[in-house]
Amino acid sequence: MTNQDTICAIATAQGGAIGTIRVSGPNAVEITSSIFKPIKGKGLLDRKPYTLTFGNITNKGGDIVDEVLVSLFRAPHSYTGEDSTEIMCHGSSYILQQVMQLLIQNGCRSANAGEFTQRAFLNGKMDLSQAEAVADLVASSSAASHKLAMSQMRGGFSKELTLLRDKLLHITSLMELELDFSDHEDLEFADRNDLKELAANIETVITRLAKSFSVGNVIKNGIPVAIIGETNVGKSTLLNALLNEEKAIVSDIHGTTRDVIEDTMNIGGVTFRFIDTAGIRQTTDKIENIGIERTFQKLSQADIVLWMIDTTDKADGFEKIKKEILPHCVDKKLIILFNKSDLLSASQQDEIQNYFNDVDAEKIFISAKTKQNIEKLEEILVKASALPQINQGDVIVTNIRHYEALTHALESIHRVQEGMSMNLSGDLVSEDLRQCIFHLSDIVGEVTTDQVLENIFKNFCIGK
C-alpha cells in the first residue's frame, strides 16, 4: 500500500437516511471536484477548508446522481493528515454505489479495511494504541467500554507508557555511556540506587496495568454468564427471555440443546455474554455427551453462573445435581434460579428453598416462560458484575496485544532487578533495559512491524 493513492469508501451503515463517502489522499479534492458541481459560488478547489458545500454529483453524461453536501479538509488538518473530503448523500445503496463508481473512474481506489485510521497513524495523527482504540470505540456496546475507548483514544494509556519509557531511555543512555569508558572500571554515570528505585516503580506500574486487563477484557467483551442445569429446566427459554428474541430452540424434548449458544446483551450499562449450555444428565447419546462436556468447559470460564432448577421436579433429585454442579462453582458468583415458580404455592416455594439453605448463593424464584421476575434477575446480574467505577482518565488495558507486550516488559524489568541484585555488569543490565523499552514502544507503534500493522488494521471496518 502507498499513501500516493487516493482512497474512497462508504463510511456509514446501510439502511440510514443519509450515507457518507470518505475520500482521502493527494488528489482527494481534485477527484471529488471532478464529479461535484456546487449549486452556486466557487468550486471545491477554490473553497476554504472546513467548509460545507451544497451541490450535485453528476455522471459523465451530465445527469444528476444526487444532491449532496461535501465537507472539505486540507492536509495536515484532517483525520488522516491528508487532503480529504466527505460526501453526504441520500442513504440509497444505489446512489452510494453510483458515487463510488464515479470516484473510482476518476482516479480513486476502494479503501482497505482500516486504511483511513492506518494513514492517520502513519502520518503521525495518533499513535498505535490510540488507533486501536478507534476500533474499540466503534465496537463499544456499554457505557464502561465507551469510556475506556475514549480514554485510550485521547492518549491516557500512551502518556503513562511514554513517561516510563523516557525514564528508562535516560538511565539506559547513561549506562551505555559507561561502556565507552570501560577502561575506567570504577566510573559510573548511572546511579545504581536511582536505577533500583526506577525499576521498582516501573514494576509497580506495569504490574498494575497488566492486572487491569482482567477487568478491561470483561468490560470490552462482556461478562461471561453460564446458564446451567439439568435438561428441560428452561435454560433456553430463559436465554430467549433475557435477549427478547427466539435465539435458542425451545422444546419439551430432553437434550434439545446439544451445543453452546452465546449472545451478548447490555443490562444497566454492563455487557453480559450469556452462554446457554447443554442440559446435564446421564445419556448414551455421543453428540449430547460432547455438549455436556462443553457445558463444564464453559462453566469453568464463566464469572457468573445461573443455575436453573425446575421446581416441579421431585426434591430427591436436588442433592444429586448439587454434587455435580457445586464443585465447579467455587470462586464464582452463583445465582440459583427456581424456575416455573408460577406453578407453585407460597408454601411450596418455602419448601423448595429450604433444600438450598446450605448453598451460599443469591436465590430467586422466576418463570422464564411468563418472564416473571426477569427484571429482578437483571438487577441481581448488574449487582453481581461488581465492575469498578470507571472514571475519565482511568487507564485500563483492554487489548490482548498490549497485555502481552506489558507481560514481556515486566519479565525484562524483573531481569534488570535480578541483574542488579547479582551485581551483573552494566552491559548485561542495559540489554534487559532495552528489551523493556522495546516492548513498551511496541504498544504505541514505534517499533511495530508491517505484519503487525496489517494484522491490526484488517480487523477494522471499511471506511474507518
Side-chain angles (χ1 to χ4, degrees):
M1 187 191 72
T2 170
N3 277 13
Q4 295 306 304
D5 293 341
T6 298
I7 57 174
C8 61
I10 299 170
T12 45
Q14 190 174 351
I18 301 295
T20 299
I21 292 175
R22 307 178 81 182
V23 186
S24 183
N27 299 316
V29 182
E30 288 82 356
I31 293 173
T32 306
S33 182
S34 69
I35 67 170
F36 172 72
K37 300 294 182 287
I39 295 298
K40 62 179 180 179
K42 301 175 183 177
L44 280 184
L45 291 169
D46 299 317
R47 288 184 182 266
K48 293 181 179 180
Y50 323 115
T51 55
L52 203 60
T53 306
F54 176 62
N56 296 320
I57 297 290
T58 58
N59 60 26
K60 289 183 178 179
D63 299 324
I64 295 174
V65 176
D66 196 17
E67 291 183 339
V68 302
L69 286 169
V70 176
S71 51
L72 174 64
F73 306 90
R74 288 288 189 179
H77 305 297
S78 70
Y79 178 76
T80 59
E82 304 171 330
D83 284 352
S84 303
T85 63
E86 291 187 358
I87 305 169
M88 285 162 277
C89 316
H90 289 94
S92 158
S93 59
Y94 172 78
I95 289 172
L96 289 166
Q97 289 301 328
Q98 287 293 302
V99 176
M100 282 290 292
Q101 287 178 26
L102 288 170
L103 288 168
I104 291 169
Q105 288 168 9
N106 282 271
C108 279
R109 72 164 169 82
S110 185
N112 298 317
E115 190 167 356
F116 289 92
T117 304
Q118 186 170 3
R119 289 187 175 203
F121 163 68
L122 293 172
N123 291 327
K125 302 298 290 185
M126 58 181 73
D127 65 38
L128 192 55
S129 70
Q130 290 173 298
E132 288 170 292
V134 172
D136 289 345
L137 188 63
V138 171
S140 61
S141 59
S142 68
S145 61
H146 173 263
K147 276 186 180 180
L148 291 183
M150 283 300 299
S151 175
Q152 187 172 324
M153 200 169 77
R154 289 176 177 173
F157 186 32
S158 304
K159 287 173 186 173
E160 187 149 11
L161 292 180
T162 300
L163 185 62
L164 292 179
R165 190 195 59 207
D166 288 348
K167 290 179 178 178
L168 281 171
L169 280 170
H170 174 68
I171 202 154
T172 304
S173 63
L174 291 178
M175 292 190 73
E176 294 188 352
L177 186 60
E178 293 173 3
L179 300 178
D180 294 334
F181 296 89
S182 56
D183 51 331
H184 299 277
E185 294 182 2
D186 297 330
L187 191 61
E188 285 189 355
F189 292 103
D191 188 301
R192 294 307 189 264
N193 289 327
D194 288 346
L195 177 55
K196 285 181 181 179
E197 187 177 332
L198 176 61
N201 178 47
I202 288 174
E203 180 197 25
T204 300
V205 174
I206 295 178
T207 299
R208 171 175 57 80
L209 290 173
K211 283 184 176 179
S212 74
F213 177 69
S214 59
V215 174
N217 188 48
V218 162
I219 291 172
K220 181 178 176 179
N221 297 311
I223 298 170
V225 181
I227 306 173
I228 65 167
E230 294 184 285
T231 57
N232 218 30
V233 295
K235 299 186 298 299
S236 297
T237 304
L238 175 65
L239 178 67
N240 292 340
L242 287 166
L243 298 175
N244 287 313
E245 64 172 294
E246 297 300 311
K247 179 76 176 181
I249 297 172
V250 176
S251 169
D252 291 333
I253 301 170
H254 287 268
T256 303
T257 302
R258 296 189 171 205
D259 204 348
V260 172
I261 299 173
E262 295 190 30
D263 211 338
T264 58
M265 183 181 179
N266 187 290
I267 302 173
V270 180
T271 300
F272 293 92
R273 192 169 79 252
F274 292 104
I275 308 163
D276 180 21
T277 61
I280 300 169
R281 68 166 178 165
Q282 295 296 322
T283 177
T284 57
D285 188 308
K286 290 183 179 180
I287 302 299
E288 191 178 347
N289 271 323
I290 292 171
I292 293 170
E293 286 177 18
R294 291 181 180 176
T295 292
F296 287 109
Q297 288 173 6
K298 289 295 180 181
L299 181 55
S300 67
Q301 298 167 13
D303 290 344
I304 299 174
V305 177
L306 299 181
W307 176 13
M308 288 196 74
I309 293 170
D310 183 351
T311 54
T312 63
D313 274 354
K314 292 182 179 179
D316 57 7
F318 293 158
E319 289 301 322
K320 181 182 176 183
I321 194 70
K322 269 189 195 180
K323 291 177 182 177
E324 276 200 81
I325 289 179
L326 288 179
H328 297 275
C329 297
V330 177
D331 298 328
K332 299 183 184 298
K333 290 166 185 174
L334 178 61
I335 302 170
I336 300 178
L337 308 180
F338 299 116
N339 193 29
K340 305 181 184 180
S341 61
D342 53 319
L343 304 177
L344 300 181
S345 65
S347 61
Q348 288 174 314
Q349 289 188 14
D350 290 339
E351 185 181 349
I352 292 289
Q353 189 155 356
N354 285 337
Y355 284 104
F356 294 89
N357 282 340
D358 60 330
V359 180
D360 183 18
E362 187 88 38
K363 305 175 185 76
I364 177 175
F365 284 87
I366 67 164
S367 171
K369 187 174 183 178
T370 65
K371 297 188 178 182
Q372 176 187 335
N373 276 345
I374 294 299
E375 287 187 8
K376 185 177 179 182
L377 171 59
E378 290 177 349
E379 291 173 7
I380 293 171
L381 281 167
V382 172
K383 184 179 177 182
S385 69
L387 288 178
Q389 181 66 39
I390 307 298
N391 299 311
Q392 199 70 41
D394 283 352
V395 180
I396 296 177
V397 177
T398 62
N399 187 302
I400 184 65
R401 191 183 73 83
H402 300 168
Y403 172 72
E404 289 174 350
L406 287 168
T407 301
H408 292 316
L410 189 59
E411 291 170 355
S412 298
I413 209 68
H414 283 158
R415 288 197 298 271
V416 169
Q417 291 173 314
E418 289 169 6
M420 286 189 295
S421 67
M422 296 168 62
N423 292 318
L424 292 182
S425 62
D427 57 334
L428 295 176
V429 173
S430 64
E431 174 59 29
D432 288 322
L433 285 171
R434 281 195 298 270
Q435 285 296 313
C436 187
I437 293 168
F438 173 88
H439 293 301
L440 294 179
S441 298
D442 186 36
I443 293 172
V444 295
E446 293 186 359
V447 296
T448 306
T449 65
D450 289 341
Q451 186 178 6
V452 171
L453 291 180
E454 182 182 342
N455 185 57
I456 290 169
F457 288 105
K458 75 178 182 182
N459 296 313
F460 275 58
C461 52
I462 300 290
K464 196 59 187 169

